[in-house]
Amino acid sequence: MKKISAHTANYTLEGGGTNELVEFGSGFVSCDSYAMSAAIDDSVVTKRAQYGVSVELHGSLTRAMMIVDTLDILKLPQKATVFLECDMEKFKQLMINALK
């Protein structure tokens, strides 16, 4: 697992990533890994929220990336579930089992 995530982990440690993305522990956040673990075992997610989302296509905020309106400023009708807290022991076990 360390070999798989080495590039992203190094990028985060060198200051390339933002600390706001690293709320579930030290290292990096692999969004796909969290999404798959929640699909396999919903109890991995211990706290979640619904936020308005959109994909920025015009480049005024970003370019071809999803934006999450956590303050509900844009009043977006499309909502996504955002994981705020996870059971890290369950998550780690799912990742270890996936690599066996």
Side-chain angles (χ1 to χ4, degrees):
M1 189 160 161
K2 186 175 184 178
K3 185 177 179 182
I4 293 170
S5 60
H7 177 73
T8 307
N10 287 338
Y11 179 76
T12 302
L13 291 173
E14 293 169 1
T18 62
N19 290 335
E20 293 149 6
L21 295 177
V22 188
E23 294 184 11
F24 296 158
S26 61
F28 78 104
V29 173
S30 172
C31 298
D32 291 342
S33 298
Y34 286 104
M36 285 307 302
S37 64
I40 293 167
D41 181 357
D42 189 51
S43 70
V44 170
V45 182
T46 58
K47 186 176 178 183
R48 62 191 89 212
Q50 293 282 318
Y51 294 119
V53 294
S54 182
V55 175
E56 175 61 66
L57 299 175
H58 305 292
S60 62
L61 301 172
T62 185
R63 183 78 174 165
M65 295 180 72
M66 184 175 78
I67 58 168
V68 180
D69 185 13
T70 58
L71 300 176
D72 200 29
I73 294 170
L74 302 174
K75 306 293 184 206
L76 299 169
Q78 308 86 350
K79 304 292 182 194
T81 300
V82 177
F83 305 161
L84 302 176
E85 294 178 6
C86 291
D87 183 329
M88 287 306 296
E89 289 309 311
K90 285 184 180 181
F91 175 75
K92 287 178 193 176
Q93 195 58 51
L94 284 168
M95 293 299 103
I96 291 168
N97 290 343
L99 295 172
K100 287 184 180 177

